[in-house]
């Protein structure tokens, strides 16, 4: 095995990621040319033939390797997560060549594994925290800092992941997406890339055609949820509907419609987890035999307000607006059958005085709605499944503004109605101190749908010029195969377009599936979550401010063992790219929560004088938030090629 190269000296502009050393080279680990002697189980040594030695020398001569171009870092250039993504695309699909890193003999790379490990910190490697101004690649081997007299200063933390310096001589500082006060999604930046200019122009042309078609007198069929999307988002399903990827439109030939744009699907759930625990009867809107006789498909925007009883959420108000006229055609209060324990006035706008005048029950509301909602009615709302569960109504024709407008961070996130109104309607809603207004929310949904009808399905899509890297690989000539191995639901996540998508529940399973699939795919992505989980990152530090150091030590030891096993199992000439994404986000999240609480108190208490001093947001809090956010955005990336 060739020794690891030394750091560059003199005028050299390259730093080299070494060929990893293993104590017992196996079949996939190359030794120095001419010295690879295999011993069989009987102790006999097989001497390679002349042809075998020639092939071994050729492989060794063309062994791929990574080199950092140090000149690119000398002027403060910071490598972002998008740079790492573009490097992966360059390796796999001949994307744009990066200038900050070079790959010798790239064509000999057989497979690429992209490993995302949030929770891995420099301190776990025995290194000091990366300064926010640092941009140069750094050694993964701890080096104590010394004073002028040669004595060591502050002791370094213990190195608890011994496999890292064995595989990677250098690491590269990275910067997570975000701004001065926020950390954006690393996963989104890692797995979403800009679409090519040619495809962008094609999409713009298609969007104009769709806008022309949908701005006519056609009903908004383009935005109807499919049965699969309804199932994925916990909608109560009519008994006569079967799972399908096409919307249910009675009597309509779907081939006459423009091609559907993508609509975000969310994670699978259970309808029983929403609403209340009572088994109230359901109203199922009958199935339509065909299109309406008058050719009209009424669109009704609906929003409900809820209160809490001992049974859970209870329906308290229903507002329904007509799309064509904009008029409020139904607005009634509902008296829950159980005693109300929380009116949730801040959000529902419901007070004891209001609810005391209610005459409707859930049953009478269902009877009234049965006269309004026909088999041809299209229901519109924001997270409409919550309203339909509260009303105990099953209906197949639904449009959900939480799904036709995509969240900037992509699935599985949903954009809030208030944010959508501010962003796309330039309107502030839900501002009243008396709580939300269901009529206002329903009207906002109407106007959001109108914007889609006028400007086409790409209106309001903050990610319209981005696509999952797996979709790009599918379109490559020749197409490239990919595997997405993660904890999330593959069908509803960024891995939906991958050749193979596998859902796992443990880091051990993640490693097993990567090993099983790497031979058959050009790119394999995997995310290991145990380190982040054990440090409380994924519950935002809510459950505890402290974690057990022994649990972290155990998890780091397991991570080192998993990475060792993964590397040993990789085929020869496989590129391994490991990123941690960002550093500890908990201090940032804690201050962000304090700021949000301050903003709520300012609205509800009417000024800073009425807010306790320990809950006030001060100038020093703002500066501290910017500091800890900068630290949270610091990350590391590692690169090597399996010999």
């Amino acid at each position: 095995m060739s020794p690891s190269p030394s750091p560059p000296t003199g005028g050299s502009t390259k730093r080299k990621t070494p060929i990893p050393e293993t104590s017992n080279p196996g079949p996939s680990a190359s030794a120095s040319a001419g010295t690879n002697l295999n011993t069989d189980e009987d102790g006999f040594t097989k001497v390679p033939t002349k042809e075998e030695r020639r092939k071994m020398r050729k492989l060794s001569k063309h062994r791929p390797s990574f080199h950092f171009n140090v000149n690119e870092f000398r002027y403060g250039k910071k490598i972002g997560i998008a740079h790492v993504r573009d490097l992966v695309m360059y390796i796999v699909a001949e994307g744009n060549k990066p200038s900050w890193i070079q790959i010798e003999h790239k064509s000999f790379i057989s497979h690429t594994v992209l490993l995302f490990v949030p929770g891995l910190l420099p301190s776990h490697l025995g290194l000091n925290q990366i300064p926010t101004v640092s941009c140069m690649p750094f050694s993964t081997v701890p080096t104590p800092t010394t004073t002028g007299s040669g004595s060591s200063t502050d002791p370094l933390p213990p190195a608890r992941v011994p496999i890292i310096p064995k595989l990677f001589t250098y690491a590269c500082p990275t910067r997570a997406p975000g701004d001065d006060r926020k950390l954006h999604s690393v996963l989104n930046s890692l797995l979403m890339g800009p679409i090519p200019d040619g495809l962008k122009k094609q999409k713009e042309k298609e969007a104009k055609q769709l806008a022309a078609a949908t701005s006519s007198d056609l009903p908004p069929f383009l935005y109807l949820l499919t049965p699969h999307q309804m199932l994925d988002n916990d909608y109560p399903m009519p008994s006569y509907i079967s799972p399908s990827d096409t919307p249910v439109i009675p009597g309509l030939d779907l081939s006459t419609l423009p091609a559907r744009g993508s609509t975000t699907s969310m994670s699978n759930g259970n309808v029983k987890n929403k609403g209340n625990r009572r088994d109230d009867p359901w109203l199922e809107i009958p199935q339509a035999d065909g299109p309406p006789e008058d050719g009209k498909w009424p669109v009704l925007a609906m929003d409900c307000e809820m209160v809490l009883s001992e049974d859970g959420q209870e329906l308290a108000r229903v507002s329904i607006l007509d799309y064509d006229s904009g008029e409020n055609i139904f607005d009634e209060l509902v008296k829950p059958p159980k005693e109300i324990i929380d009116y949730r006035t801040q959000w529902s706008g419901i007070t004891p005085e209001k609810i005391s005048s209610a005459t409707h029950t859930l049953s009478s509301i269902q009877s009234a709605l049965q006269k309004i909602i026909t088999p041809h009615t299209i229901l519109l709302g924001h997270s409409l499944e919550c309203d339909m569960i509260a009303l105990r109504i099953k209906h197949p024709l639904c449009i959900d503004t939480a799904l036709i407008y995509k969240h900037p961070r992509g699935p599985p996130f949903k954009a809030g109605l208030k944010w959508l109104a501010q962003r796309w309607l330039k309107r502030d809603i839900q501002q009243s101190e008396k709580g939300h207004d269901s009529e206002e929310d329903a009207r906002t949904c109407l106007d959001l749908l109108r914007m889609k009808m006028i400007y086409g399905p790409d209106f309001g899509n903050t990610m319209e010029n981005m696509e999952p890297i797996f979709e790009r690989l599918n379109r490559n000539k020749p197409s490239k195969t990919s595997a997405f191995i993660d904890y999330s639901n593959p069908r509803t996540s960024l891995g939906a377009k991958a050749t193979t998508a596998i859902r796992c529940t443990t880091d051990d399973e993640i490693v097993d599936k990567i090993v099983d699939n790497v031979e058959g795919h050009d790119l394999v992505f995997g995310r290991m979550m145990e380190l982040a989980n054990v440090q409380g990152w994924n519950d935002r530090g809510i459950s505890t401010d402290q974690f057990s150091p022994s649990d972290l030590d155990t998890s780091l030891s397991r991570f080192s063992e998993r990475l060792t096993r993964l590397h040993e199992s990789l085929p020869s000439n496989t590129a391994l790219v490991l990123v941690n994404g960002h550093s500890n986000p908990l201090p940032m999240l804690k201050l962000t929560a304090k700021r949000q609480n301050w903003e709520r108190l300012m609205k509800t208490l009417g000024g800073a004088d009425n807010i306790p001093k320990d809950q006030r947001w001060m100038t020093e809090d703002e500066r501290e938030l910017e500091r800890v956010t900068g630290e949270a955005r610091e990350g590391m990336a590692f690169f090597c090629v399996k010999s």
Side-chain angles (χ1 to χ4, degrees):
M1 180 71 67
S2 301
S4 300
S6 302
T9 58
S12 174
T13 63
K14 296 181 181 180
R15 291 189 178 183
K16 192 169 186 178
T17 298
I19 299 163
E21 298 185 19
T22 56
S23 55
N24 296 302
S28 62
S30 301
S32 298
T35 61
N36 186 20
L37 303 180
N38 298 323
T39 303
D40 63 21
E41 58 183 6
D42 296 324
F44 290 95
T45 300
K46 179 184 177 182
V47 179
T49 65
K50 183 177 180 181
E51 180 63 19
E52 288 173 337
R53 288 197 300 270
R54 186 190 67 79
K55 290 181 179 179
M56 289 163 57
R57 285 194 299 269
K58 182 178 179 181
L59 287 174
S60 179
K61 182 179 179 181
H62 295 95
R63 184 177 299 163
S65 58
F66 289 100
H67 304 265
F68 290 116
N69 187 354
V70 178
N71 280 337
E72 288 290 317
F73 297 88
R74 284 180 175 161
Y75 301 102
K77 179 175 181 177
K78 197 79 168 185
I79 299 304
I81 299 300
H83 291 102
V84 178
R85 175 203 66 215
D86 292 344
L87 168 66
V88 171
M89 295 303 290
Y90 170 64
I91 297 171
V92 180
E94 298 297 335
N96 293 330
K97 183 178 181 179
S99 59
W100 57 278
I101 194 169
Q102 299 173 11
I103 310 173
E104 285 190 358
H105 309 301
K106 179 176 76 73
S107 61
F108 284 82
I109 292 179
S110 57
H111 310 276
T112 301
V113 173
L114 175 58
L115 197 60
F116 180 29
V117 189
L120 180 65
L121 299 176
S123 60
H124 303 156
L125 310 181
L127 305 173
N128 288 318
Q129 173 66 34
I130 304 172
T132 55
V133 296
S134 175
C135 62
M136 293 291 287
F138 57 90
S139 173
T140 58
V141 178
T143 304
T145 55
T146 59
T147 62
S149 60
S151 61
S152 177
T153 58
D154 296 334
L156 291 170
R160 290 171 285 178
V161 189
I163 187 61
I164 290 290
K166 294 180 181 179
L167 299 184
F168 313 97
T169 300
Y170 291 97
C172 178
T174 60
R175 188 76 163 164
D179 55 33
D180 290 343
R181 301 174 186 84
K182 290 181 182 178
L183 177 67
H184 296 165
S185 171
V186 170
L187 188 65
N188 196 55
S189 294
L190 196 59
L191 300 183
M192 292 283 290
I195 62 175
D197 289 340
L199 184 60
K200 180 180 178 181
K201 292 179 181 178
Q202 180 182 342
K203 288 186 66 175
E204 290 174 350
K205 181 180 178 181
E206 292 174 350
K208 291 179 181 178
Q209 294 173 344
L210 286 171
T214 55
S215 61
S216 65
D217 294 333
L218 277 177
F221 294 141
L222 192 62
Y223 306 105
L224 283 173
L225 298 181
T226 69
H228 273 154
Q229 290 166 340
M230 295 178 71
L231 284 170
D232 290 344
N233 290 279
D234 306 337
Y235 275 77
M237 297 293 292
S239 58
Y240 50 82
I241 297 300
S242 300
S244 170
D245 285 321
T246 56
V248 178
I249 308 176
L252 183 70
D253 180 5
L254 297 181
S255 64
T256 63
L257 290 177
R260 288 174 57 87
S262 61
T263 303
T264 306
S265 275
M266 315 303 287
S267 59
N268 290 325
N270 192 333
V271 171
K272 294 182 180 179
N273 293 333
K274 300 183 179 182
N276 57 57
R277 66 174 63 97
R278 288 194 311 277
D279 191 20
D280 293 322
W282 286 81
L283 169 63
E284 183 173 279
I285 304 301
Q287 183 176 14
D289 296 329
E293 294 182 0
D294 59 2
K296 295 182 179 179
W297 300 78
V299 179
L300 302 180
M302 180 169 65
D303 190 75
C304 299
E305 302 295 352
M306 319 291 181
V307 294
L308 289 179
S309 77
E310 62 181 20
D311 286 344
Q313 291 195 77
E314 302 281 4
L315 181 67
R317 182 185 175 189
V318 186
S319 298
I320 298 179
L321 276 66
D322 178 67
Y323 178 83
D324 291 330
S325 66
E327 294 181 0
N328 188 336
I329 62 172
F330 188 87
D331 202 332
E332 297 291 343
L333 294 167
V334 184
K335 191 173 184 64
K338 295 290 185 71
E339 181 181 355
I340 299 174
I341 60 175
D342 187 353
Y343 286 87
R344 305 176 69 202
T345 305
Q346 181 180 353
W347 297 279
S348 69
I350 303 298
T351 63
E353 294 74 25
K354 280 187 178 181
I355 207 71
S356 63
S357 63
T359 58
H360 275 289
T361 64
L362 176 62
S363 177
S364 65
I365 283 289
Q366 287 180 334
S367 298
L369 293 183
Q370 197 168 13
K371 301 175 183 177
I372 298 174
I373 303 173
T374 73
H376 301 106
T377 299
I378 297 173
L379 294 180
L380 167 68
H382 191 81
S383 293
L384 184 60
E385 78 280 2
C386 297
D387 303 309
M388 298 183 71
I389 291 170
L391 289 163
R392 294 292 197 273
I393 289 180
K394 299 179 180 180
H395 186 59
L397 305 180
C398 299
I399 298 175
D400 194 334
T401 52
L403 299 178
I404 63 175
Y405 283 85
K406 297 178 182 179
H407 192 285
R409 293 172 63 183
F413 302 100
K414 287 183 179 182
L417 186 63
K418 181 177 181 178
W419 183 86
L420 290 176
Q422 291 173 330
R423 180 69 175 83
W424 304 114
L425 302 178
K426 310 303 180 186
R427 179 189 306 169
D428 290 325
I429 65 171
Q430 302 173 355
Q431 296 290 306
S432 174
E433 296 179 3
K434 297 180 180 180
H436 294 187
D437 183 342
S438 53
E439 179 181 352
E440 179 184 51
D441 290 353
R443 191 172 303 282
T444 301
C445 291
L446 283 184
D447 292 338
L448 286 170
L449 179 59
R450 284 196 180 99
M451 298 298 279
K452 286 281 187 180
M453 294 293 289
I454 294 171
Y455 297 108
D458 280 337
F459 174 81
N461 181 6
T462 57
M463 302 180 70
E464 61 181 326
N465 294 325
M466 304 288 285
E467 65 178 349
I469 61 173
F470 307 109
E471 190 167 344
R472 172 75 178 274
L473 294 178
N474 293 339
R475 202 173 55 249
N476 192 76
K477 303 262 185 219
S479 64
K480 300 292 183 176
T481 54
S482 58
F484 175 84
I485 301 169
D486 192 33
Y487 283 71
S488 62
N489 182 355
R491 180 178 165 193
T492 62
S493 64
L494 294 171
K497 297 293 186 178
T499 311
T500 303
I502 302 172
R503 186 175 190 175
C504 300
T505 56
T506 67
D507 281 6
D508 282 323
E509 192 177 355
I510 293 284
V511 172
D512 290 340
K513 296 304 179 183
I514 292 176
V515 171
D516 291 344
N517 286 273
V518 66
E519 283 275 14
H521 297 84
D522 297 296
L523 171 66
V524 178
F525 168 81
R527 176 168 57 160
M528 302 172 72
M529 298 292 291
E530 183 177 315
L531 291 179
N533 289 336
V534 78
Q535 295 174 88
W537 292 12
N538 293 325
D539 60 7
R540 303 174 67 87
I542 293 172
S543 61
T544 178
D545 290 334
Q546 299 293 327
F547 57 87
S548 169
S550 61
D551 288 346
L552 178 58
D553 287 342
T554 302
S555 293
L556 287 169
S557 177
R558 285 200 292 256
F559 168 69
S560 188
E561 293 170 358
R562 290 174 185 131
L563 187 57
T564 301
R565 177 163 60 92
L566 172 62
H567 181 264
E568 290 176 348
S569 303
L570 294 178
S572 179
N573 285 358
T574 296
L576 175 61
V577 178
L578 188 155
V579 293
N580 74 336
H582 57 83
S583 296
N584 184 6
L586 296 184
M588 176 193 68
L589 294 173
K590 186 176 181 180
L591 281 170
T592 300
K594 180 180 179 180
R595 183 180 183 180
Q596 291 172 342
N597 181 61
W598 156 261
E599 292 172 345
R600 285 193 294 266
L601 291 175
M602 285 289 289
K603 292 179 181 178
T604 56
L605 300 181
D609 293 339
N610 300 321
I611 300 176
K613 289 186 178 181
D614 62 337
Q615 297 185 46
R616 295 180 183 178
W617 185 255
M618 311 299 287
T619 302
E620 51 266 33
D621 293 320
E622 190 74 18
R623 287 197 294 264
E624 180 65 8
L625 176 59
E626 292 180 3
R627 185 187 71 81
V628 297
T629 300
E631 291 182 351
R633 292 180 62 190
E634 292 302 311
M636 305 178 290
F638 307 83
F639 311 90
C640 75
V641 178
K642 171 66 181 295
S643 60

